[in-house]
Amino acid sequence: MQERYDFSQVESKWQSIWEEKGMYRVTEDHGRKKYYVLEMFPYPSGNLHMGHVRNYSIGDVVARFKTMEGYNVIHPMGWDAFGLPAENAAIQHGIPASIWTRENIAKMKSQLKAMGISYDWQREVATCNPDYYRWTQWLFLQFYKKGLVFKKKAAVNWCPSCATVLANEQVVDGACERCESVVDKKELEQWFFKITDYAQRLLDDLEKLPGWPEKVKTMQHNWIGRSEGAEIRFQTEAGHDLTVFTTRPDTVYGVTYMVIAPEHPLVAELVTGTEYEQDVLAFAGRMSKMTGIERAEMEKEGLFTGAYAINPLNGEKVPIWVANYVLLDYGTGVVMGVPAHDQRDFEFARKYGLPVRVVVQPEGELLDGDQLEEAFPAEGILVNSGPFDGMDNQTGIKKITEHIEKQGLGQYQIQYRLRDWLISRQRYWGTPIPIIYCDKCGTVPVPEEDLPVILPEKVEFKNTGVSPLKTMDEFRNCRCPQCGGQAVRETDTMDTFVDSSWYFLRYCDAQNDREVFDKGKADYWMNVDQYIGGVEHAILHLMYARFFTKVLYDLGLTKSEEPFQNLLTQGMVLKDGAKMSKSKGNVVSPEEIIGKFGADTARLFILFAAPPERDLEWSDQGVEGCYRFLNRVWRLMYSYHDQVRSVQAQDQASTDQDRELRRMIHAAVKKVTEDVSKRFNFNTAISAIMELVNSFQHYREQVPADKVNLPLVR
């Protein structure tokens, strides 16, 4: 044992031994209880950042701890390797996206190995490899057969610079989150997954996840957004149906105006040839360039269309407006305005001088719509509601809904905020959608035996805003698998969230070239016992992974209905109170820290500085303190080196000092076990170890070298 702590020599030595012996390779062992620990796999950007170090250090502690407890632990790693950054890099640097991606993977893999993380690298996957995306395409076909895939024209967020569709979450303040170009709306034929078919199960099964943070379950609950109410059919004077969904059918007698989304196809028909046409269409055009979030945050704004609708319950004629707060892709794109009982409607009505009619009175009070200073949305007694006057409003909801159904004017309805998953991307570096278009046969799925549809790795990017796949004849032109005639391939690729919605299952059988995975192996390992990753993935990735797992369960491919039994969402790593970023100039390189202090110091600091669920403030002094602690441990063990080799420790402690040290060892074991296994309080577990080191130091100072009796732990 060397006297000086040479971290580079020590770490490289043991990392080599672990790799040579295959320490972390595992196979199914039905005689042992399994444990599946998984961190969200990274995008191969080329360099690890401190957020990665924190995520993977947490997972490594859990994996090693469970292994020491006797579990058969699977701890895999791979790469979420498709996506727009590689495509942009290919354009910027003039190199194929595949080369840029694989060079980054190689670099980040070496960095992970330098960190000494206990991964089973035989299970490594990269979503850009044909042996992976072949099965992504195969799963698409299974969804297609099950009726969960469809294509329709849809208004989408379009980034003209990136030349691709963006999800709502990728639009920040009306701009693309990556390139900051202003986002437009565009009508395109798009492929969708019918995630709405699973909305209720996704909602109900949140109750099966007690090991998830409540805030994440609440976010998913709100995103799915279940509402009970009624669909009611109003009509325009010209006979057009205007269907609304409302959770308050008890207030339908209080409708004093209707609001239609500016992008609704009926708008142009209502105003064409009228004095309102120019202003309304200009307003609609302006709204089409804004995101739903922007419209929700701005002041309520609208225009009268000149048209009227007929209230089906009282026959009253009410004006139809367009307004910024109604969105086409939420509900039916039409809203009934009830200003007396909805604050948003109230503010709009007061701004534009529209009537406010009270139809729900608080018991024992008399409200006057003209005198109201705010809406009254609470429970009460129905008034001004025809035959339903005098009912409490909850009874009124039921009776009015029954009346609407009996008269054929609408029906009881359950509605969800969740929308079907748009998976089409008009970009190159992604999984090709396995669909062929034939003039004779129509839309034809690629036969399973012809998978994978290989993505060309050498393409030419032109400054046209069009995916190179569209102009690449050798990819696009093909034969129809049904009639053998000339046909063309789909040139859209899949949203990268599709790739990451099932990777945890592929890890169970990563080398399988005959099927997506062996069900027996997947049933042994699944579901993931502990999943670790950032809270920014609380909705999209976690929702999509849950959806995929439920579909695969229904297809008989897995026994698990939920992918992740327990979830830990770690906090961010901050410096000077802000998230680390190149633009802020506050990035700390893991390579630099590992090169100067070693991987153990980096891991120790990242685990000691804060509980995992909280944000961690970077501290150079804290890193140096952890380094000094490791040096202290090394010197202490070195001072015992000869004694450890020459003294046979006794089973019984013979002195007060021996007994005290044994007590401290047991206390530390208990504290570390409880803090790691029950609470993931790694910082307090490390504190217990630091206290134990102090006890060893005290013992060292009290007991002469020739009297050392290192107590055994039982």
Side-chain angles (χ1 to χ4, degrees):
M1 183 178 182
Q2 295 180 355
E3 183 175 359
R4 188 178 68 87
Y5 175 48
D6 183 352
F7 62 81
S8 60
Q9 188 273 331
V10 171
E11 291 177 357
S12 62
K13 169 190 170 181
W14 286 105
Q15 288 166 13
S16 297
I17 290 173
W18 296 338
E19 187 160 356
E20 289 168 11
K21 292 190 173 182
M23 288 283 290
Y24 308 119
R25 296 175 190 169
V26 292
T27 56
E28 298 73 35
D29 181 351
H30 292 277
R32 295 170 64 196
K33 193 173 181 180
K34 68 89 183 180
Y35 194 90
Y36 190 166
V37 58
L38 182 63
E39 304 95 62
M40 295 179 185
F41 64 170
Y43 179 78
S45 59
N47 283 294
L48 294 181
H49 55 66
M50 280 301 170
H52 290 133
V53 173
R54 191 178 197 196
N55 191 3
Y56 306 144
S57 296
I58 291 169
D60 192 51
V61 170
V62 176
R64 291 175 183 275
F65 185 84
K66 289 298 180 181
T67 299
M68 293 171 70
E69 284 192 319
Y71 287 88
N72 189 24
V73 176
I74 181 175
H75 188 207
M77 176 48 68
W79 312 97
D80 192 8
F82 273 137
L84 201 52
E87 197 164 320
N88 289 340
I91 296 170
Q92 182 179 351
H93 302 298
I95 60 171
S98 59
I99 292 177
W100 185 85
T101 300
R102 292 190 175 101
E103 286 177 351
N104 287 350
I105 287 174
K107 185 174 183 181
M108 291 178 72
K109 185 174 179 179
S110 69
Q111 292 172 337
L112 282 174
K113 287 189 172 182
M115 281 180 61
I117 307 293
S118 57
Y119 291 131
D120 180 354
W121 284 107
Q122 285 194 321
R123 297 178 182 273
E124 179 183 11
V125 302
T127 60
C128 66
N129 288 343
D131 62 359
Y132 185 90
Y133 69 70
R134 167 191 180 183
W135 299 111
T136 304
Q137 293 171 343
W138 184 85
L139 289 170
F140 175 96
L141 296 178
Q142 309 318 303
F143 280 47
Y144 188 89
K145 292 175 189 174
K146 191 172 170 57
L148 293 172
V149 181
F150 66 96
K151 192 176 188 182
K152 71 172 183 179
K153 184 170 282 191
V156 296
N157 300 313
W158 177 260
C159 174
S161 177
C162 298
T164 191
V165 169
L166 302 177
N168 288 334
E169 294 71 26
Q170 294 170 306
V171 181
V172 180
D173 296 327
C176 173
E177 69 172 352
R178 292 201 179 275
C179 72
E180 299 184 351
S181 297
V182 175
V183 172
D184 297 327
K185 289 287 186 181
K186 192 172 184 177
E187 285 273 330
L188 291 175
E189 287 282 340
Q190 304 282 290
W191 286 99
F192 291 81
F193 282 155
K194 291 185 71 176
I195 191 173
T196 51
D197 281 9
Y198 284 74
Q200 192 61 49
R201 280 173 66 183
L202 288 167
L203 191 62
D204 292 342
D205 288 355
L206 288 170
E207 300 304 315
K208 298 179 180 179
L209 301 172
W212 281 39
E214 284 302 319
K215 65 177 180 181
V216 174
K217 292 197 287 185
T218 298
M219 290 167 75
Q220 291 219 354
H221 189 282
N222 292 339
W223 189 260
I224 295 167
R226 186 182 192 272
S227 299
E228 292 186 45
E231 269 196 353
I232 306 173
R233 284 187 294 279
F234 288 70
Q235 281 196 332
T236 69
E237 288 184 299
H240 303 104
D241 279 344
L242 285 179
T243 301
V244 303
F245 172 80
T246 178
T247 58
R248 295 290 306 272
D250 56 317
T251 65
V252 71
Y253 282 88
V255 174
T256 59
Y257 66 96
M258 303 289 288
V259 184
I260 188 168
E263 59 271 38
H264 196 290
L266 189 57
V267 169
E269 194 168 344
L270 292 176
V271 300
T272 297
T274 72
E275 62 185 285
Y276 304 96
E277 180 178 4
Q278 185 175 347
D279 290 344
V280 169
L281 294 184
F283 176 79
R286 182 159 57 90
M287 291 300 107
S288 71
K289 298 183 183 299
M290 302 178 69
T291 67
I293 295 172
E294 289 176 309
R295 284 164 58 175
E297 291 175 349
M298 67 187 295
E299 184 183 348
K300 305 298 175 282
E301 185 179 350
L303 288 174
F304 178 43
T305 65
Y308 290 84
I310 307 301
N311 187 323
L313 264 65
N314 61 13
E316 184 176 340
K317 188 169 76 168
V318 294
I320 301 172
W321 287 63
V322 291
N324 57 0
Y325 67 85
V326 180
L327 306 175
L328 182 61
D329 58 358
Y330 186 72
T332 64
V334 183
V335 170
M336 61 183 206
V338 187
H341 305 292
D342 181 276
Q343 187 61 27
R344 182 185 60 181
D345 294 349
F346 179 84
E347 292 169 4
F348 190 83
R350 285 288 187 249
K351 180 174 181 178
Y352 292 105
L354 295 165
V356 178
R357 180 183 302 133
V358 173
V359 292
V360 181
Q361 294 273 17
E363 206 161 355
E365 292 187 50
L366 188 63
L367 299 181
D368 182 345
D370 293 335
Q371 302 301 318
L372 284 180
E373 295 183 1
E374 61 181 6
F376 174 72
E379 307 277 306
I381 305 301
L382 295 189
V383 295
N384 301 318
S385 298
F388 305 100
D389 281 353
M391 294 181 183
D392 67 87
N393 73 297
Q394 287 300 318
T395 302
I397 288 174
K398 181 180 178 182
K399 294 297 184 182
I400 290 175
T401 301
E402 290 173 353
H403 175 74
I404 287 167
E405 289 182 327
K406 192 176 295 183
Q407 298 299 316
L409 302 172
Q411 58 277 324
Y412 168 80
Q413 185 81 24
I414 296 174
Q415 185 169 282
Y416 299 92
R417 182 177 182 270
L418 181 69
R419 290 292 170 262
D420 284 320
W421 176 8
L422 191 161
I423 66 161
S424 287
R425 295 295 181 269
Q426 291 68 42
R427 62 182 178 225
Y428 152 67
W429 190 239
T431 299
I433 294 176
I435 291 291
I436 290 170
Y437 301 107
C438 172
D439 288 341
K440 181 179 178 181
C441 304
T443 301
V444 182
V446 172
E448 292 179 16
E449 60 270 20
D450 291 345
L451 298 179
V453 177
I454 294 291
L455 183 72
E457 297 207 350
K458 291 184 179 180
V459 298
E460 182 181 358
F461 287 95
K462 298 177 181 178
N463 191 23
T464 59
V466 173
S467 166
L469 297 179
K470 280 190 175 292
T471 58
M472 195 172 188
D473 289 343
E474 55 268 43
F475 173 81
R476 192 164 180 268
N477 295 331
C478 63
R479 291 283 175 184
C480 173
Q482 290 186 3
C483 71
Q486 277 296 121
V488 294
R489 294 191 185 282
E490 172 62 75
T491 56
D492 283 359
T493 55
M494 294 188 211
D495 179 7
T496 54
F497 278 116
V498 179
D499 306 320
S500 59
S501 292
W502 71 280
Y503 76 109
F504 42 88
L505 280 155
R506 183 64 178 174
Y507 279 146
C508 299
D509 193 16
Q511 307 301 322
N512 196 330
D513 61 359
R514 301 175 310 280
E515 55 188 336
V516 62
F517 49 79
D518 178 83
K519 186 176 185 299
K521 292 181 178 181
D523 285 350
Y524 174 80
W525 291 115
M526 286 294 289
N527 54 14
V528 174
D529 295 280
Q530 184 63 60
Y531 199 36
I532 304 164
V535 73
E536 65 271 18
H537 299 293
I539 294 175
L540 296 184
H541 164 59
L542 291 173
M543 185 79 75
Y544 295 152
R546 295 181 63 221
F547 166 57
F548 252 67
T549 302
K550 292 181 186 306
V551 176
L552 298 187
Y553 172 84
D554 291 348
L555 291 170
L557 294 173
T558 176
K559 69 174 185 180
S560 300
E561 285 193 78
E562 286 289 338
F564 314 122
Q565 188 64 31
N566 298 288
L567 175 68
L568 172 65
T569 54
Q570 86 280 1
M572 295 186 296
V573 180
L574 310 176
K575 191 165 191 289
D576 303 323
K579 183 180 178 181
M580 288 187 183
S581 71
K582 291 180 181 178
S583 63
K584 292 186 176 71
N586 65 349
V587 171
V588 177
S589 165
E591 275 191 314
E592 180 183 336
I593 297 298
I594 292 171
K596 186 176 181 180
F597 298 107
D600 283 344
T601 295
R603 286 149 53 101
L604 181 64
F605 169 75
I606 216 87
L607 294 167
F608 180 57
E613 69 278 2
R614 295 185 187 171
D615 290 343
L616 180 156
E617 179 68 35
W618 183 263
S619 165
D620 293 335
Q621 293 79 14
V623 174
E624 291 169 4
C626 288
Y627 180 62
R628 288 195 300 272
F629 171 73
L630 291 179
N631 274 274
R632 184 181 172 208
V633 172
W634 185 272
R635 289 194 303 271
L636 180 62
M637 292 302 102
Y638 181 80
S639 71
Y640 279 120
H641 185 53
D642 290 337
Q643 286 82 3
V644 170
R645 286 188 300 173
S646 61
V647 176
Q648 177 68 42
Q650 302 299 312
D651 194 35
Q652 296 295 323
S654 57
T655 68
D656 289 344
Q657 291 89 347
D658 293 343
R659 282 187 285 274
E660 176 61 16
L661 185 58
R662 171 170 288 191
R663 187 186 71 79
M664 291 300 296
I665 290 172
H666 279 283
V669 169
K670 182 175 186 292
K671 177 68 171 169
V672 170
T673 301
E674 290 178 349
D675 284 354
V676 174
S677 64
K678 295 180 182 179
R679 293 181 285 271
F680 287 166
N681 286 346
F682 307 119
N683 56 325
T684 55
I686 292 170
S687 293
I689 293 171
M690 289 178 171
E691 290 179 20
L692 180 61
V693 170
N694 289 338
S695 298
F696 268 103
Q697 186 70 46
H698 188 59
Y699 180 84
R700 171 82 174 75
E701 293 166 356
Q702 288 186 318
V703 179
D706 60 343
K707 301 294 185 182
V708 167
N709 178 30
L710 298 178
L712 301 179
V713 179
R714 290 297 185 193

